[in-house]
Amino acid sequence: MVRTKIIATIGPASNTEKILRKMILSGLDIVRLNFSHGTYKDHAKTVNLVYKLNKKLRRAIKVMQDLEGFRIRIGRLRYPLNLHKRSILYFTKENIIGENNLVHLDYPYEFTIFKRGMHMYINDGRIILKIRNSTKKVIKSEVITEGILDERKGVNIPGAKLRFSSLTDKDKKDISFIIPYSPDFIAQSFVRCARDISYLKKIIKPRLPNCKIFAKIESQEGLKNLNDIIRVSEGIIIARGDLGVCVPIYKVPIIQKEIIKKCRLANKPVVVATQMLESMVKESLPTRAEVTDVANAIFDGANFVMLSSETTIGKHPHKVVEMMNKIIKYAEKYKNELDSFLI
């Protein structure tokens, strides 16, 4: 038995009994339902499959709901847009189907908070735009880093002071949906302060007293209020995708180590997430750097490691889980031997 547990996100590539069974037998511990994507029908199917396989295989695979939080997203597109460097892209509040150089941005308030010179990072920074100017309803931007723009991708705009409540209307609906399925964990995205988690706990705990509430750290405001967030949360998720956009990417490894250290001192579980074995979305083996990344997270004291696109859209989800399990076993064996030597 390994100490570090594997969380795997379920998506189109893994939402079948055959694949999920292989993932469980390969070492899966927790199924993550990403409510930024998928339908209620999809998520219900996954939960029911987990409960069915738990009974069949005599396992106790747990379920985590990951709420979308107050993320800005690209609207619907008629087709993927090929964005070229220095081309102009307009964002509108109007709920249109995007095409050519005009797309919908689902931020519900005035666009004037997005100032000239601010950068827009789409899909974890794979596409970067620079704002030329904005009005209440339209943003004019220039493409800095080109790429293919797909619909419903997340947008980060560092420096913009966004107006959002502790829990969005969508999150409230998603919680109401999941309550009857009794999830073991609920993770809140883009946690800014302790109040966000306290508010969520007031909603969840009366109905699901045993459900653990985890806070995802993925913004500058969350980092600023980290100590208070750790204090009120029952676990922390280091969401390196968005975190690596809101802070310089070269700072992420040190921030990760510091968060793990703070969680260990507070005796709170901590999850390391995003791009852990990303190359296995397409390849049958991870890179050496990815293997080292997973092992270092374990050496630092992470309690969980999370798989995202590797198991949602990857070619072989169960092989990713199997590889993650092998890395954990070998890293923990070394860590245990080293700890015994030091004692």
Side-chain angles (χ1 to χ4, degrees), residues 83-87 142-146:
L83 303 182
H84 298 286
K85 195 170 184 178
R86 297 191 183 90
S87 63
E142 178 184 352
V143 178
I144 304 299
T145 302
E146 61 188 21

Side-chain angles (χ1 to χ4, degrees), residues 77 79-89 99-101 103 127 129 143 145-150:
L77 298 178
Y79 44 78
L81 302 182
N82 190 3
L83 303 182
H84 298 286
K85 195 170 184 178
R86 297 191 183 90
S87 63
I88 299 299
L89 184 67
E99 57 183 333
N100 298 325
N101 67 339
V103 300
I127 296 173
L129 311 174
V143 178
T145 302
E146 61 188 21
I148 304 297
L149 179 65
D150 293 310

